[in-house]
Amino acid sequence: MKSLKLSTSRLVSKKSLTEKMVSQRAGAERLETGSNEVVVALAGNPNTGKSTVFNQLTGLRQHTGNWPGKTVTNAWGSYTYQGKPYVLVDLPGTYSLLANSVEEEVARHFLCFARPAVTVVVLDATCLERNLNLALQILEITPKVVVCVNLMDEAARKKIRLDLLKLAAILGVPVVGTNARKGEGLVELKEAIRQVAGQASSLCENDASGKGAPLVRYDEAIEECLDELVPLVRAHLGDRVNARWAALRLLEEDESFLEALAVFNNKNKDSNKDKGHDIDGGTDEVAGENSELWDSLQRNKSRLAAQGMGANQLKDLIATTLIRKAESIAQQVLVFVPENYQQFDRRIDNIVTSKRWGIPLMLLFLGGIFWLTIVGANYPSQLLAAGLFWLEKKLAALFLAVGAPAWLQGMLVEGMYRTVAWVVAVMLPPMAIFFPLFTLLEDLGYLPRVAFNLDNFFKKACAHGKQALTMCMGFGCNAAGVIACRIIDSPRERLIATITNNFVPCNGRFPTLIALTTIFLVAGQGPIGAVWAAVWILTAIVLSVFITLGVSKLLSQTILRGLPSSFTLELPPYRKPQLGRIIVRSVLDRTLFVLARAVRVAAPAGVVIWLLANAQWGEMSILAYCAQFLDPLGHLLGMDGYILMAFFLGIPANEIVIPILIMGYSGAGSLMEPDSISALRALLAQNGWTMLTAVCTMLFMLNHFPCGTTLWTIRQETQSMKWVLVSFLLPTVCGILLCFVIAQSVRLLGLLGL
Amino acid sequence: MRSNSCHSFISLDRLPIGRMGRVKALTAKEQSRRRMLDLGLINDTVVEALRQSPSGDPVAYQIRGAVIALRSEEAAQILVELV
């Protein structure tokens, strides 16, 4: 608790990918201004516990997930060690730096151009060989590296033994073994960072090629070219970029690097702009002013090509050499690996991803979570409501005692306070139950299995299996789900996932779905009623998934036509979840985060809504007037004008749709106290609600425009108003069509005597 | 153990579940080729087909200590020799 308080003030900022260049430049300037902060980059494969290391070092409670590519934002945090301030930059988790994806590009550009003082590479002790590939690539860029071998406890549990001293000797940099989740080894890590940061930087400038043999040696023919090119590249680029690494990228015609270098050069000096923008544009930028380098580059490229090593073969050869080197290092470092160390994971996977049990188990897990949420939330919700409305009476009495005017008391107590109290009472208990349970599945490593089980459905919808993960995230919060879409490599599939994320109901919509289910669709009370409620909610979820798939297919065949991108999905080892940490993290990070945002939105919205409900226009309030105007449309869709108004006014947050509705129905701005579900039942019935109204409202709840926060997030992610508009219209049109068809056919059948 | 001549390559998507194959060539191009190489699918790497998704595709493979799921289209671009 104490560390969280501290960390809030320590948090520098959280940058989105779209702001990546800005943040990188900020990093670069921070370095160049010579301020006394030491910039440390944190790199590593996904699923190595990199984010845990980050949290433990900075005290920042940033969420960590056990699925590939979760951390895609650049998170910044800081800590102090021996009186010296350090800024820690959490790079996206990547397997490589050969720039296959946005994440790899972000990580690579930061290492290359922002040039952190130290780079910490986090490796998974249970999967060393695979992780070493990235470490080797980073060591090619900078020698100022600390290798952090994390998850030593998992390795010990699997009886894997490693020789870290040998690893340090081979790599030539400090190696620290850690169990970040238990906080073990972190002091040693900080000390190693301090030492590497203190090393003279001149030492590393002439490293790689200067002081003896480089760690990774390529084919003799390539090395000969490098011998000639590296001094020329160094002469041209100076100490801005590691010369050997840059020469390799020039030889293999790495476009991403050339572009970045061109941008970087242009920013640093007003470079010549009259150069052509052909593929060699970047090369021109590099070598344009230096014909010696240019000539040498061309000569060496053709020499390699003559030996059957064109740019493509060269890329293959470089990647292969790195993998072989990682393999040979792993063989030397791994003292003992039991034959069957993955037995445990395989046994679990044999069940949870089996043909027979895979999908039923998944439905059971998710259904179980929702059932526990529904049953568990009832009592605390009532208790909370009672407490908050007891406080409201006291507040009203206070206003009266001070002699405040009636409108002020109405606006602040009945408008603002009541709306906030409603949101808190309704949202807090379900979230406090739902998020820890969901986080538990996440921590176990179960969620990637969901993507594995369901991928074929997504493939048929021309979407990416990872969309199953972004949808899971969307069940918590659609804005978070939209951000999570960055884990999908291909732009087309990412857009599909972004636009359709809103089709799964977020945590703000569940309370309404649950309340309406309990009131109109479930007859019995108690545990049996709760089971039925869970079944209905599950039906709603399955429906939302099918709609998502259908809309994804539609999108990919119309405005986003194209073939599915390449698909790779890692199924990481199962991890023992840390229950205490899950509860603290999910309550503090997710529950309170979402709740705080909802309260921020609900408070002013409460005032506005109170004004609408109380300001009279002729005989009626403005709210009633608008509702009357919308009533015919509402009726067509199986709802009424007040319900539609509630959806419109609820655009700041879906949580407040029901409170607005209650305010509207009860009239004159006096909001009904949500003390019981039966009072809500009576009020809705009074206003002519039937089962059809409830079903249509639930359907419209599932399919309507995203909340303000989500729309804003989509704008940030896609950088385009067009996609925001599509994301707004698509679900709204779907909802209108669905409600219209259902309402009209039920009425028609009703006429037929059903 | 079936005897296979060293010339009988099959694509990875046709490797039976539970069997192992040795990577002999990649027919993928560009980004997807890069990604496969980064996964460690270089010449002579031994890959084991672990299990098929309940929905039919993808298939999970054991590749250099990690479990990676590949779709059939992707796996079809990897040629292996039965081990």
Side-chain angles (χ1 to χ4, degrees):
Chain A
M1 286 296 241
K2 203 184 270 173
S3 67
L4 180 88
K5 257 183 205 161
L6 279 172
S7 72
T8 335
S9 58
R10 281 168 169 181
L11 170 65
V12 180
S13 66
K14 205 170 179 178
K15 305 281 179 187
S16 78
L17 270 182
T18 50
E19 293 169 302
K20 67 186 187 205
M21 290 313 288
V22 181
S23 66
Q24 282 160 19
R25 244 172 289 144
E29 275 151 23
R30 194 187 291 275
L31 271 168
E32 282 154 16
T33 50
S35 83
N36 61 347
E37 277 175 337
V38 181
V39 177
V40 180
L42 192 63
N45 284 16
N47 286 304
T48 51
K50 186 167 74 69
S51 299
T52 315
V53 173
F54 179 72
N55 289 343
Q56 292 281 9
L57 283 181
T58 62
L60 169 70
R61 300 285 153 200
Q62 181 222 31
H63 187 72
T64 69
N66 194 9
W67 68 47
K70 175 79 184 302
T71 316
V72 271
T73 51
N74 267 1
W76 297 50
S78 61
Y79 69 91
T80 308
Y81 180 68
Q82 294 189 352
K84 204 165 172 60
Y86 292 79
V87 175
L88 197 61
V89 181
D90 192 15
L91 298 179
T94 60
Y95 297 113
S96 161
L97 289 178
L98 297 173
N100 297 318
S101 66
V102 195
E103 286 76 20
E104 291 181 13
E105 236 172 283
V106 171
R108 174 165 124 169
H109 288 186
F110 189 87
L111 292 175
C112 233
F113 300 115
R115 310 216 69 190
V118 183
T119 302
V120 177
V121 189
V122 184
L123 308 183
D124 177 351
T126 66
C127 200
L128 197 72
E129 182 186 328
R130 179 162 166 63
N131 285 238
L132 273 170
N133 184 21
L134 179 72
L136 290 174
Q137 293 187 35
I138 289 172
L139 278 161
E140 284 195 317
I141 297 180
T142 166
K144 298 189 81 174
V145 169
V146 174
V147 171
C148 164
V149 182
N150 194 29
L151 299 168
M152 291 296 282
D153 50 346
E154 291 284 329
R157 202 166 60 79
K158 292 182 170 168
K159 301 193 170 59
I160 298 173
R161 278 191 284 139
L162 321 92
D163 186 345
L164 296 187
L165 287 176
K166 195 170 210 168
L167 184 61
I170 295 171
L171 298 180
V173 295
V175 173
V176 184
T178 59
N179 293 322
R181 298 193 298 179
K182 291 176 188 151
E184 292 165 13
L186 293 166
V187 178
E188 292 84 342
L189 183 60
K190 285 182 193 174
E191 176 57 26
I193 293 172
R194 188 191 66 81
Q195 283 177 14
V196 171
Q199 282 168 11
S201 52
S202 60
L203 187 105
C204 41
E205 293 315 341
N206 44 25
D207 175 70
S209 52
K211 68 152 203 208
L215 191 57
V216 182
R217 275 190 72 82
Y218 295 93
D219 190 276
E220 226 22 75
I222 302 177
E223 290 295 339
E224 274 171 31
C225 296
L226 287 176
D227 286 344
E228 185 183 327
L229 274 172
V230 169
L232 294 171
V233 172
R234 185 176 296 125
H236 183 64
L237 291 175
D239 59 358
R240 276 179 286 168
V241 181
N242 179 299
R244 181 182 161 87
W245 187 82
L248 276 165
R249 302 290 84 79
L250 288 177
L251 277 176
E252 63 168 2
E253 293 170 8
D254 185 314
E255 281 172 44
S256 152
F257 169 70
L258 295 176
E259 274 167 36
L261 196 63
V263 172
F264 186 73
N265 277 340
N266 277 334
K267 268 198 301 263
N268 279 268
K269 46 184 179 181
D270 282 341
S271 183
N272 35 356
K273 269 195 168 174
D274 47 327
K275 296 276 178 195
H277 285 286
D278 54 331
I279 306 168
D280 277 338
T283 325
D284 282 352
E285 289 290 346
V286 182
E289 304 149 39
N290 188 327
S291 57
E292 199 189 343
L293 171 57
W294 173 254
D295 292 344
S296 163
L297 186 59
Q298 296 310 320
R299 201 169 52 244
N300 280 301
K301 271 203 265 191
S302 38
R303 198 166 77 198
L304 286 173
Q307 295 179 51
M309 283 186 269
N312 278 329
Q313 290 87 338
L314 205 60
K315 281 180 184 175
D316 280 16
L317 201 57
I318 289 172
T320 307
T321 310
L322 285 163
I323 297 281
R324 293 230 189 280
K325 184 73 184 174
E327 187 181 5
S328 97
I329 295 177
Q331 274 167 4
Q332 295 173 67
V333 173
L334 289 168
V335 181
F336 178 70
V337 182
E339 190 85 353
N340 55 353
Y341 73 102
Q342 287 170 323
Q343 196 82 39
F344 177 72
D345 290 329
R346 287 197 184 185
R347 276 197 193 135
I348 296 179
D349 276 340
N350 282 344
I351 302 166
V352 302
T353 63
S354 66
K355 272 217 153 47
R356 181 174 299 177
W357 300 110
I359 290 174
L361 270 177
M362 189 191 73
L363 292 175
L364 195 72
F365 283 147
L366 293 178
I369 285 187
F370 293 123
W371 183 76
L372 278 172
T373 307
I374 294 166
V375 172
N378 269 336
Y379 184 67
S381 204
Q382 282 170 22
L383 210 66
L384 207 57
L388 288 170
F389 290 101
W390 172 83
L391 190 66
E392 188 201 296
K393 286 200 187 74
K394 297 283 159 198
L395 271 175
L398 184 75
F399 270 77
L400 207 65
V402 188
W407 63 265
L408 188 67
Q409 187 212 330
M411 198 165 76
L412 292 183
V413 179
E414 282 168 20
M416 196 161 82
Y417 179 85
R418 241 182 227 190
T419 312
V420 170
W422 174 272
V423 168
V424 172
V426 169
M427 281 182 67
L428 183 57
M431 278 200 305
I433 299 170
F434 177 82
F435 277 144
L437 290 172
F438 194 77
T439 315
L440 179 71
L441 287 188
E442 199 180 313
D443 255 42
L444 279 166
Y446 180 66
L447 293 187
R449 270 78 187 175
V450 173
F452 178 70
N453 285 346
L454 297 178
D455 181 63
N456 211 11
F457 302 120
F458 287 91
K459 192 169 98 175
K460 286 188 177 129
C462 305
H464 201 292
K466 281 184 187 169
Q467 193 174 330
L469 301 181
T470 65
M471 284 165 70
C472 282
M473 203 65 203
F475 281 118
C477 171
N478 289 130
V482 168
I483 293 174
C485 290
R486 294 169 183 172
I487 62 172
I488 299 169
D489 302 327
S490 150
R492 188 174 285 113
E493 283 76 11
R494 185 163 51 226
L495 259 180
I496 291 176
T498 306
I499 293 168
T500 57
N501 192 270
N502 184 56
F503 281 100
V504 297
C506 68
N507 160 70
R509 289 185 269 173
F510 272 116
T512 311
L513 293 176
I514 293 167
L516 293 183
T517 305
T518 320
I519 294 174
F520 288 97
L521 302 180
V522 179
Q525 291 286 326
I528 296 165
V531 168
W532 273 111
V535 169
W536 275 109
I537 297 292
L538 204 60
T539 310
I541 290 164
V542 171
L543 180 71
S544 72
V545 170
F546 274 105
I547 294 176
T548 306
L549 291 175
V551 173
S552 298
K553 176 111 188 168
L554 190 77
L555 275 173
S556 63
Q557 287 184 344
T558 53
I559 36 178
L560 298 172
R561 218 184 328 235
L563 293 167
S565 72
S566 55
F567 173 88
T568 45
L569 173 72
E570 183 174 1
L571 303 178
Y574 288 99
R575 308 250 155 86
K576 202 172 126 214
Q578 307 234 305
L579 285 175
R581 218 182 91 235
I582 286 178
I583 291 168
V584 171
R585 228 175 50 197
S586 55
V587 168
L588 293 181
D589 296 354
R590 294 184 154 183
T591 311
L592 292 187
F593 171 76
V594 177
L595 195 70
R597 201 185 53 202
V599 166
R600 269 202 304 277
V601 174
V607 174
V608 171
I609 293 157
W610 185 87
L611 284 173
L612 282 178
N614 287 275
Q616 299 286 311
W617 189 6
E619 292 284 285
M620 291 187 297
S621 70
I622 298 178
L623 183 66
Y625 189 83
C626 294
Q628 203 180 49
F629 177 75
L630 286 173
D631 212 45
L633 178 63
H635 190 74
L636 272 182
L637 305 179
M639 296 178 276
D640 65 27
Y642 276 106
I643 303 175
L644 289 187
M645 263 317 275
F647 275 112
F648 281 129
L649 290 174
I651 202 164
N654 282 300
E655 292 81 354
I656 58 171
V657 169
I658 287 287
I660 295 169
L661 196 57
I662 291 170
M663 202 179 213
Y665 280 154
S666 46
S670 81
L671 190 67
M672 191 198 69
E673 290 183 12
D675 52 355
S676 72
I677 213 90
S678 55
L680 184 60
R681 186 203 314 265
L683 182 79
L684 294 180
Q686 236 170 48
N687 284 277
W689 274 54
T690 61
M691 202 181 194
L692 176 67
T693 324
V695 168
C696 285
T697 308
M698 284 173 72
L699 277 175
F700 203 66
M701 195 44 134
L702 283 177
N703 303 287
H704 74 285
F705 40 83
C707 73
T709 315
T710 304
L711 286 171
W712 180 76
T713 311
I714 294 173
R715 170 79 183 82
Q716 291 298 104
E717 293 300 305
T718 62
Q719 293 293 313
S720 140
M721 279 312 284
K722 182 183 159 197
W723 299 123
V724 176
L725 200 68
V726 171
S727 311
F728 184 95
L729 288 177
L730 207 58
T732 313
V733 169
C734 275
I736 288 176
L737 283 177
L738 265 175
C739 289
F740 180 80
V741 168
I742 290 204
Q744 297 311 314
S745 38
V746 165
R747 279 177 192 145
L748 202 66
L749 291 173
L751 279 177
L752 293 171
L754 279 166
Chain B
M1 263 283 154
R2 253 176 284 167
S3 64
N4 283 287
S5 80
C6 40
H7 298 295
S8 65
F9 299 158
I10 55 167
S11 58
L12 186 59
D13 60 319
R14 295 177 57 205
L15 183 69
I17 301 296
R19 291 294 299 270
M20 292 196 225
R22 184 175 283 120
V23 175
K24 281 298 162 192
L26 302 181
T27 56
K29 297 264 177 294
E30 319 256 304
Q31 284 223 341
S32 104
R33 183 184 187 88
R34 291 271 85 71
R35 202 175 290 113
M36 286 177 187
L37 291 172
D38 279 338
L39 291 174
L41 289 166
I42 61 172
N43 243 0
D44 289 335
T45 302
V46 174
V47 172
E48 182 185 356
L50 288 180
R51 62 176 51 81
Q52 196 179 22
S53 156
S55 56
D57 197 37
V59 171
Y61 298 94
Q62 177 82 38
I63 303 169
R64 293 181 179 268
V67 181
I68 310 285
L70 296 174
R71 279 181 178 171
S72 53
E73 296 87 345
E74 292 267 283
Q77 296 178 316
I78 300 163
L79 295 182
V80 297
E81 164 191 85
L82 272 173
V83 176

